[in-house]
Amino acid sequence: MTTGDTSGRILVIGGYGAVGSAVGSRLEERLPGRVIPAGRNEVRARRLGGVRVDVSDLDGLRRTLDKLGDVRVVVLCVEPEDALLARVCLERGIDLVDVNATRDLLDAVADLDGVAAAAGATGVLSVGVAPGLTNLLAHRAHEAVGGAQRLDVTVLLGSGERHGTDAVRWTVEGLTEPVTAAPRSVFLPGHGTHLAYPFPFSDQHTLRRTLGVPEATTRLCLDSRPLTAALFALRGTGLLRGEHRAPLRRTLTGAFSRVHVGADAFALRADAWRDDDHAAFALTGREQSRVTGLVAAEIAGELLRGQLPPGVHHIEQLPDLADVPERLAADGVRVLRRVGG
């Protein structure tokens, strides 16, 4: 991201969380005085020089945007219940970077494409590590085989990283969803071979539409093999499913938020097949939450410079963002290509 000739400011909602703080720090380095942290906790937000924004209070958001006056981009680092917040931004002509990772919510925001285009605003979805960098790797593998018939995406997360509560809760909730695909042994650079289990990341659904791939599956493992086995054995019992199991899911969320076993490195891999052709791209890095924030910051900078077309797009649909992984090389992100095998 280069600063170029920019105007307006960037509002980072959830600006003091694990992801939002990384967004704000990177943007403040490059666009000093142009970043406004925001969150529901007014004391924490104002301590950072920001404002209070509650994603459930849309009238309050409108008043805040009116008061600030010159917000050009909103980076949404917390997950609202629906797409109404996105609509408030886009219909005002304010660009949106949405770090949300829930399939239904992504679909609802994507449906605002016409609203955004009419207002001259741009919304970017699938922003972060998974979805996000996984989408970009999958796109490369897809192109390398001339159009994939099948995509397999693998995500390895460091179980020693301190993830935000929302991220942990989302992961635990993902263990309640039924699966049809089988586990797969995958080699991940820097981590060796791991058994990865199907998991409901949104990218596998998005990629079927954006790339026209008939079959796509995303799998998850942790750097700790015993913890991975225990986690997915628990899923297999079915004990986490159903509304009556909500207290158990909350307990598990709290436990994962407090217990950190392992490192903070992550790895991604995307494999594409077309007949006998196979291509694979992999990526490694550290601190998934931080890198998610850095990806969002790169996109926010592009939007502030007016580099992306109006409408709502997933990250892999925007050629100007194809090199985002390489932009993060100085931040410890390394991209590797392996074809065949």
Side-chain angles (χ1 to χ4, degrees), residues 69-273:
D70 61 349
V71 172
R72 279 270 311 279
V73 180
V74 167
V75 183
L76 183 58
C77 301
V78 293
E79 188 170 290
E81 291 186 357
D82 51 41
L84 292 178
L85 184 148
R87 176 180 285 274
V88 167
C89 297
L90 295 171
E91 67 187 5
R92 286 172 169 245
I94 296 173
D95 296 335
L96 177 71
V97 181
D98 193 344
V99 184
N100 145 56
T102 299
R103 176 189 177 187
D104 290 346
L105 187 52
L106 286 169
D107 288 346
V109 178
D111 287 343
L112 297 174
D113 177 65
V115 172
T122 303
V124 184
L125 308 178
S126 298
V127 175
V129 170
L133 296 180
T134 53
N135 299 54
L136 296 178
L137 290 184
H139 185 260
R140 294 182 189 193
H142 170 71
E143 291 195 324
V145 297
Q149 297 164 329
R150 175 182 142 211
L151 283 171
D152 274 354
V153 178
T154 307
V155 178
L156 178 146
L157 297 180
S159 51
E161 181 175 351
R162 296 181 180 275
H163 298 281
T165 302
D166 284 347
V168 176
R169 184 185 303 114
W170 179 87
T171 303
V172 171
E173 291 294 332
L175 295 172
T176 68
E177 296 195 20
V179 295
T180 55
R184 179 171 176 250
S185 290
V186 185
F187 175 79
L188 294 150
H191 298 271
T193 300
H194 282 252
L195 187 62
Y197 294 79
F199 197 78
F201 287 100
S202 63
D203 51 8
Q204 60 199 315
H205 305 289
T206 299
L207 293 166
R208 292 171 194 167
R209 295 196 305 272
T210 60
L211 302 184
V213 178
E215 182 181 348
T217 303
T218 304
R219 293 175 174 84
L220 171 68
C221 59
L222 305 177
D223 58 350
S224 167
R225 290 177 177 85
L227 190 54
T228 300
L231 195 65
F232 287 99
L234 179 61
R235 177 174 74 177
T237 67
L239 290 175
L240 297 176
R241 296 185 195 134
E243 286 301 316
H244 65 294
R245 298 295 186 182
L248 178 57
R249 295 197 295 273
R250 287 195 293 269
T251 299
L252 192 59
T253 297
F256 279 126
S257 298
R258 293 189 300 271
V259 178
H260 308 284
V261 180
D264 62 3
F266 67 86
L268 312 174
R269 175 170 165 160
D271 290 78
W273 285 268

